[in-house]
Amino acid sequence: VVLVVAVAMTAGSLAWALGQPPVYVASSRLLLAPLPGKALKALGAGGAGTALGRLSTETQAQLIGSSTVAGHVSAAIGGRISTEELSRAVDARVVGTDLIEIRASARSPQLARAEANAFADAYLAWRSAAATADVEAVRRQIDEHTAAVDGRLAEAGRTIDGASAAMAALPPPEVSDAA
């Protein structure tokens, strides 16, 4: 009786498994190279302008798999797949010090590949926009400092011009022969 039940359950499980549509998995890998030391210094390492430099690889993997990135991917494909479906279909995990693997599952290999690549592209676009914003903030700071220095130089020039004019208006010193 036990053998008959085991065979029947195995046969039923096999029939159920064969009746399921196939699920395909594709992956993309992102190498998150850190910013060079000179770039971090220019951006004010430790300051407000280095958000990307402070994010751990684990945090970045969580961002990739977030509903925010899924929303960008959904919008990029015209909403054909909802944010929720994309969030469930994609997983990002750290596979090395600066390496993240994005895995997507779908009913076709083409869709799985497209989802994995779309998440990688969306995250890289976000990173690029964040880096551009950091550089723009530093450029504005440099422009402000340059304007302040130019203002101080102009004031110093006016002071020198005023002192030179005052000196020119003075009578020449008297020379005495009393020596």
Side-chain angles (χ1 to χ4, degrees):
V1 172
V2 173
L3 181 60
V4 172
V5 170
V7 169
M9 296 221 24
T10 302
S13 296
L14 180 61
W16 178 82
L18 292 175
Q20 296 299 309
V23 175
Y24 297 92
V25 176
S27 65
S28 290
R29 288 189 169 197
L30 292 178
L31 177 61
L32 304 172
L35 291 172
K38 286 183 180 180
L40 285 173
K41 184 177 179 183
L43 290 171
T50 59
L52 289 176
R54 288 192 307 263
L55 293 178
S56 70
T57 305
E58 291 81 13
T59 300
Q60 293 187 65
Q62 290 172 356
L63 286 170
I64 292 168
S66 72
S67 59
T68 301
V69 174
H72 289 293
V73 172
S74 180
I77 60 173
R80 291 188 305 255
I81 302 174
S82 73
T83 299
E84 294 78 23
E85 288 177 275
L86 287 167
S87 291
R88 284 191 304 270
V90 174
D91 178 52
R93 62 187 177 96
V94 177
V95 293
T97 304
D98 292 320
L99 188 63
I100 295 176
E101 181 179 55
I102 303 167
R103 295 174 53 97
S105 56
R107 301 279 183 217
S108 76
Q110 296 83 4
L111 182 56
R113 182 180 62 241
E115 287 175 354
N117 289 335
F119 270 77
D121 291 343
Y123 183 68
L124 290 174
W126 176 82
R127 273 182 58 103
S128 177
T132 299
D134 284 349
V135 169
E136 183 59 27
V138 170
R139 187 197 60 76
R140 280 192 305 274
Q141 287 177 343
I142 290 170
D143 288 348
E144 290 168 6
H145 288 286
T146 300
V149 168
D150 286 346
R152 282 188 234 127
L153 285 173
E155 179 62 30
R158 287 188 295 275
T159 301
I160 291 171
D161 290 345
S164 295
M167 288 180 66
L170 292 174
E174 293 184 20
V175 179
S176 85
D177 292 332

